[in-house]
Short mmCIF file of all heavy atoms in Angstrom, two decimals:
data_model
loop_
_atom_site.label_atom_id
_atom_site.label_comp_id
_atom_site.label_asym_id
_atom_site.label_seq_id
_atom_site.Cartn_x
_atom_site.Cartn_y
_atom_site.Cartn_z
N TYR A 598 33.45 61.30 77.23
CA TYR A 598 33.44 62.76 77.22
C TYR A 598 32.00 63.22 76.91
O TYR A 598 31.52 62.96 75.80
CB TYR A 598 34.40 63.28 76.17
CG TYR A 598 34.53 64.78 76.16
CD1 TYR A 598 35.38 65.46 77.03
CD2 TYR A 598 33.82 65.54 75.24
CE1 TYR A 598 35.51 66.82 77.02
CE2 TYR A 598 33.94 66.93 75.19
CZ TYR A 598 34.80 67.56 76.09
OH TYR A 598 34.92 68.92 76.07
N ALA A 600 29.93 65.50 75.61
CA ALA A 600 30.04 66.71 74.75
C ALA A 600 28.84 67.63 74.91
O ALA A 600 28.99 68.83 74.68
CB ALA A 600 30.24 66.24 73.33
N ASP A 603 29.38 70.66 76.95
CA ASP A 603 30.43 71.60 76.53
C ASP A 603 29.85 72.45 75.38
O ASP A 603 29.62 71.97 74.28
CB ASP A 603 31.63 70.81 76.06
CG ASP A 603 32.84 71.68 75.73
OD1 ASP A 603 32.63 72.95 75.73
OD2 ASP A 603 33.92 71.19 75.51
N THR A 606 31.92 74.26 71.53
CA THR A 606 32.06 73.74 70.14
C THR A 606 30.80 73.95 69.34
O THR A 606 30.69 73.51 68.22
CB THR A 606 32.38 72.24 70.15
OG1 THR A 606 31.36 71.53 70.88
CG2 THR A 606 33.74 72.01 70.84
N GLY A 609 30.21 74.07 65.36
CA GLY A 609 31.31 73.41 64.67
C GLY A 609 30.92 72.00 64.25
O GLY A 609 29.75 71.68 64.12
N ASP A 610 31.92 71.18 64.01
CA ASP A 610 31.64 69.78 63.66
C ASP A 610 32.40 68.88 64.63
O ASP A 610 32.97 69.34 65.62
CB ASP A 610 32.05 69.49 62.20
CG ASP A 610 33.48 69.88 61.89
OD1 ASP A 610 34.35 69.68 62.75
OD2 ASP A 610 33.76 70.34 60.79
N ALA A 611 32.36 67.58 64.34
CA ALA A 611 32.95 66.59 65.26
C ALA A 611 34.46 66.83 65.44
O ALA A 611 35.02 66.48 66.50
CB ALA A 611 32.70 65.18 64.79
N THR A 612 35.08 67.39 64.48
CA THR A 612 36.55 67.68 64.60
C THR A 612 36.77 68.63 65.77
O THR A 612 37.73 68.46 66.56
CB THR A 612 37.08 68.29 63.30
OG1 THR A 612 36.81 67.42 62.24
CG2 THR A 612 38.58 68.55 63.41
N ASP A 613 35.93 69.67 65.92
CA ASP A 613 36.08 70.63 67.01
C ASP A 613 35.83 69.95 68.36
O ASP A 613 36.48 70.31 69.36
CB ASP A 613 35.10 71.78 66.83
CG ASP A 613 35.31 72.48 65.50
OD1 ASP A 613 36.42 72.92 65.24
OD2 ASP A 613 34.36 72.56 64.72
N VAL A 614 34.91 69.01 68.42
CA VAL A 614 34.64 68.30 69.67
C VAL A 614 35.82 67.41 70.04
O VAL A 614 36.26 67.40 71.21
CB VAL A 614 33.35 67.44 69.53
CG1 VAL A 614 33.13 66.62 70.82
CG2 VAL A 614 32.14 68.30 69.25
N LEU A 615 36.38 66.66 69.08
CA LEU A 615 37.45 65.73 69.40
C LEU A 615 38.70 66.43 69.83
O LEU A 615 39.56 65.80 70.47
CB LEU A 615 37.70 64.83 68.20
CG LEU A 615 36.98 63.46 68.26
CD1 LEU A 615 35.48 63.64 68.33
CD2 LEU A 615 37.33 62.62 67.03
N ARG A 616 38.89 67.70 69.46
CA ARG A 616 40.06 68.46 69.94
C ARG A 616 40.06 68.63 71.46
O ARG A 616 41.10 68.92 72.04
CB ARG A 616 40.10 69.81 69.26
CG ARG A 616 40.56 69.78 67.81
CD ARG A 616 40.89 71.19 67.29
NE ARG A 616 41.47 71.12 65.96
CZ ARG A 616 40.80 71.30 64.81
NH1 ARG A 616 39.55 71.61 64.89
NH2 ARG A 616 41.41 71.22 63.67
N ARG A 617 38.91 68.43 72.07
CA ARG A 617 38.76 68.64 73.53
C ARG A 617 38.67 67.35 74.30
O ARG A 617 38.48 67.37 75.52
CB ARG A 617 37.55 69.53 73.79
CG ARG A 617 37.59 70.87 73.14
CD ARG A 617 36.33 71.69 73.33
NE ARG A 617 36.04 71.93 74.75
CZ ARG A 617 36.59 72.87 75.45
NH1 ARG A 617 37.51 73.67 74.92
NH2 ARG A 617 36.28 73.05 76.71
N VAL A 618 38.75 66.21 73.60
CA VAL A 618 38.59 64.92 74.24
C VAL A 618 39.94 64.40 74.69
O VAL A 618 40.93 64.44 73.98
CB VAL A 618 37.93 63.93 73.25
CG1 VAL A 618 37.80 62.55 73.86
CG2 VAL A 618 36.55 64.44 72.83
N VAL A 623 44.08 66.37 67.09
CA VAL A 623 43.52 66.64 65.76
C VAL A 623 44.39 67.71 65.10
O VAL A 623 44.61 68.78 65.66
CB VAL A 623 42.07 67.14 65.83
CG1 VAL A 623 41.49 67.34 64.46
CG2 VAL A 623 41.22 66.16 66.64
N PRO A 661 27.81 67.27 62.73
CA PRO A 661 27.79 68.56 63.42
C PRO A 661 27.99 68.37 64.93
O PRO A 661 27.53 67.42 65.55
CB PRO A 661 26.36 69.10 63.13
CG PRO A 661 25.84 68.26 61.97
CD PRO A 661 26.49 66.95 62.11
N ALA A 662 28.68 69.31 65.53
CA ALA A 662 28.98 69.22 66.96
C ALA A 662 27.67 69.30 67.78
O ALA A 662 27.57 68.68 68.83
CB ALA A 662 29.91 70.36 67.39
N ASP A 663 26.65 70.04 67.31
CA ASP A 663 25.41 70.19 68.05
C ASP A 663 24.62 68.88 68.18
O ASP A 663 23.74 68.79 69.01
CB ASP A 663 24.54 71.24 67.36
CG ASP A 663 25.16 72.60 67.35
OD1 ASP A 663 26.19 72.77 68.04
OD2 ASP A 663 24.69 73.52 66.68
N ILE A 665 26.10 65.88 68.83
CA ILE A 665 26.90 64.90 69.58
C ILE A 665 26.53 64.94 71.05
O ILE A 665 26.59 65.98 71.70
CB ILE A 665 28.41 65.12 69.37
CG1 ILE A 665 28.76 65.00 67.91
CG2 ILE A 665 29.21 64.19 70.24
CD1 ILE A 665 30.20 65.30 67.59
N VAL A 668 31.24 61.30 73.48
CA VAL A 668 32.30 60.69 72.72
C VAL A 668 33.00 59.68 73.64
O VAL A 668 33.48 60.04 74.73
CB VAL A 668 33.32 61.71 72.20
CG1 VAL A 668 34.45 61.00 71.49
CG2 VAL A 668 32.67 62.72 71.29
#
Side-chain angles (χ1 to χ4, degrees):
Y598 184 82
D603 187 351
T606 58
D610 54 38
T612 303
D613 303 304
V614 176
L615 264 59
R616 285 193 173 98
R617 301 175 60 80
V618 177
V623 184
D663 297 350
I665 298 177
V668 177

